[in-house]
Amino acid sequence: GAKAATVYVGAVHPDPFEMKEWVPKRPRSLQGIAEAVVPPENTFDVELTREGINNILWDPTTPLTTVSYGEVHEWTLTRSKTHPFHIHLYHVLIVQPGGCGEQHEEGEFYDSVSGNEYEECKVRFKASDVGQRCVLHCHVLNHEDNGAMGWVDVVGANMPRNDVVSPQYSCPVTPRW
């Protein structure tokens, strides 16, 4: 095996070195989000409730909004403590000064956000790598199942597409309940 470290006990290392702050290498889809200028058309307010998203119940035929592929978007979340926000396809960057709640730090990426109850939480993401239908929902299963779920339509040029139509699924066993 390769040598990982040398530990000196009771002695000073003859050639000390300075620890530097770790800066992760992020994929292109997660770069430039904090510095981006977000146009007004790329902003969206999301209020999660037990009754839906922005008072709209799940509708498989109608998106909540349209999102431009390849661009940075800034969303303002409210009520995410009781109704944790979860989005598929993209990680969100917390850009709310001071962070959101006790567990979501400003400048960090998450796929689910549970912030303060009545305070806003601003997040950003870049619609890249994949597009088309992007689902978002309350991460409390009972709320999601009762309609606190929606989708946005990601559209744009040069976007990878998935035009495969899956066959209708049929459960081979009848449930006992």
Side-chain angles (χ1 to χ4, degrees):
K3 182 177 181 180
T6 302
V7 177
Y8 292 91
V9 179
V12 176
H13 185 279
D15 192 20
F17 62 94
E18 182 181 329
M19 295 289 290
K20 296 181 181 171
E21 181 180 351
W22 178 69
V23 179
K25 291 184 180 182
R26 302 199 190 276
R28 287 187 332 167
S29 61
L30 299 181
Q31 294 177 5
I33 296 174
E35 305 80 34
V37 175
V38 180
E41 62 269 18
N42 286 5
T43 62
F44 188 60
D45 292 337
V46 177
E47 182 180 6
L48 295 142
T49 65
R50 180 179 284 255
E51 292 76 36
I53 298 175
N54 298 347
N55 293 315
I56 300 169
L57 288 173
W58 167 255
D59 181 346
T61 61
T62 307
L64 297 168
T65 191
T66 300
V67 172
S68 298
Y69 178 77
E71 296 183 17
V72 175
H73 301 269
E74 183 173 291
W75 288 4
T76 302
L77 312 177
T78 55
R79 308 220 37 209
S80 64
K81 183 170 184 162
T82 302
H83 306 283
F85 170 83
H86 177 73
I87 186 169
H88 295 218
L89 302 185
Y90 312 114
H91 283 83
V92 296
L93 174 70
I94 303 293
V95 294
Q96 182 71 35
C100 298
E102 297 176 12
Q103 301 174 353
H104 298 87
E105 296 178 29
E106 179 181 0
E108 295 297 330
F109 285 92
Y110 301 92
D111 73 348
S112 297
V113 177
S114 178
N116 292 319
E117 186 58 23
Y118 295 104
E119 294 178 18
E120 294 181 344
C121 177
K122 291 197 182 296
V123 299
R124 288 186 180 183
F125 65 93
K126 186 174 186 178
S128 63
D129 299 329
V130 293
Q132 294 173 281
R133 185 178 290 227
C134 176
V135 175
L136 52 131
H137 56 86
C138 174
H139 221 244
V140 175
L141 183 59
N142 187 35
H143 298 177
E144 175 187 354
D145 285 350
N146 285 312
M149 180 172 176
W151 62 283
V152 295
D153 193 15
V154 183
V155 298
N158 302 318
M159 181 179 72
R161 299 194 52 84
N162 178 4
D163 293 323
V164 175
V165 177
S166 299
Q168 181 66 32
Y169 178 75
S170 175
C171 185
V173 178
T174 304
R176 294 183 213 193
W177 59 86

